[in-house]
Amino acid sequence: MKWVLLVLAFAGLVGIAIACSGPVTRGALKRLMYEEPSRDRWQRPQQVVEALELAPGDRVADVGAGGGYFTYPIAEVVGEGGKVYAVDIDTSLLAYVAHQAEKRGLPQIETVEAPEDGPGLPDASVDLIFLANVFHHLPAPDRYFAGARRVLRPGGRVAIVELAGGRGFHKAHSTPPEEIKAQLEKAGYALAETHDFLEHQSFLVFEVRGGRSEVGS
Ligand SMILES: C[S@@+](CC[C@H](N)C(=O)[O-])C[C@H]1O[C@@H](n2cnc3c(N)ncnc32)[C@H](O)[C@@H]1O
């Protein structure tokens, strides 16, 4: 009982801190919800980024970038000649990412406040749309990705990392990989690669069906 009260008191204090702080601090506090200290052990960020097979100069949209957990390592790979759009609907997280990008000397990161139903980017602006732990947030994934096709450059890909299942909290924040595949196929994509090195998550890579981005279709 005592620890329940302590947890509630701590959550209350964090809530008050979030409500009373400026956007960068608010974003930094929210980031803690997504990035518990042991995350690197199961999330394997370097291996995930390597598997994306990016090259210097590539342009990437990190949709639902959160606190930028994947944004920064991706930005390191694409370099200053490339671009990483940190896309999110939460402006305090975007403020935090912009602050970190400056602090870390990564001018290739640009933050984008997007609507819920699309990445909010220009036509043919990226080689890769990347989502980690975001798919379950999308209200209509098939429509989201059908619309997102126009954002991809020819040969562009979509990579999705998502909790594959679980119970309770994890189930509510997961999507079975078969469901992701079905939604993307409906949106006009074909599964190109499946990575199975993540213990709890699926990691699927899709291409536009027919092998090219049909801009504006
Ligand atoms: C669980 S966090 C994942 C953050 C980050 N990708 C990571 O793995 O650490 C989900 C993020 O998706 C964002 N989000 C939710 N719905 C979204 C949407 N429709 N478009 C863009 N971002 C969205 C949330 O604001 C939040 O930052």
Side-chain angles (χ1 to χ4, degrees):
M1 189 62 194
K2 205 164 143 191
W3 68 265
V4 175
L5 289 173
L6 277 172
V7 169
L8 286 175
F10 179 72
L13 283 173
V14 171
I16 291 166
I18 287 176
C20 298
S21 53
V24 175
T25 312
R26 204 155 56 238
L29 289 167
K30 280 189 191 169
R31 182 195 135 239
L32 297 176
M33 297 192 298
Y34 308 134
E35 295 178 30
E36 40 102 5
S38 66
R39 182 173 178 188
D40 285 359
R41 272 213 299 275
W42 52 268
Q43 186 66 90
R44 305 196 190 187
Q46 291 307 332
Q47 208 175 335
V48 169
V49 173
E50 272 169 33
L52 295 174
E53 294 179 347
L54 293 164
D58 279 352
R59 302 170 70 85
V60 180
D62 181 10
V63 171
Y69 182 84
F70 282 105
T71 312
Y72 314 123
I74 290 173
E76 299 280 1
V77 175
V78 302
E80 286 197 27
K83 183 69 126 182
V84 186
Y85 294 107
V87 176
D88 211 292
I89 54 172
D90 186 317
T91 50
S92 63
L93 286 164
L94 292 173
Y96 174 74
V97 171
H99 178 74
Q100 283 294 315
E102 197 174 338
K103 204 166 138 192
R104 296 171 189 231
L106 296 169
Q108 60 272 42
I109 294 175
E110 183 177 328
T111 57
V112 177
E113 183 186 352
E116 270 214 320
D117 59 357
L121 292 171
D123 287 358
S125 52
V126 296
D127 303 291
L128 175 74
I129 297 176
F130 175 75
L131 288 89
N133 309 304
V134 180
F135 191 91
H136 59 278
H137 284 289
L138 303 177
D142 56 339
R143 286 209 297 275
Y144 190 99
F145 289 103
R149 279 166 46 191
R150 63 166 186 77
V151 166
L152 289 172
R153 291 162 128 189
R157 299 170 297 150
V158 172
I160 299 174
V161 173
E162 174 82 350
L163 260 183
R167 277 192 270 172
F169 174 88
H170 286 124
K171 189 170 171 54
H173 291 79
S174 69
T175 314
E178 309 76 48
E179 174 66 15
I180 297 175
K181 187 170 172 274
Q183 294 283 336
L184 269 284
E185 282 177 354
K186 209 168 150 194
Y189 298 79
L191 183 64
E193 265 181 291
T194 303
H195 299 288
D196 55 10
F197 59 83
L198 295 172
E199 209 179 323
H200 309 296
Q201 295 158 306
S202 64
F203 180 2
L204 308 177
V205 182
F206 296 87
E207 288 170 350
V208 176
R209 208 159 38 226
R212 57 180 289 273
S213 164
E214 293 158 42
V215 175
S217 64

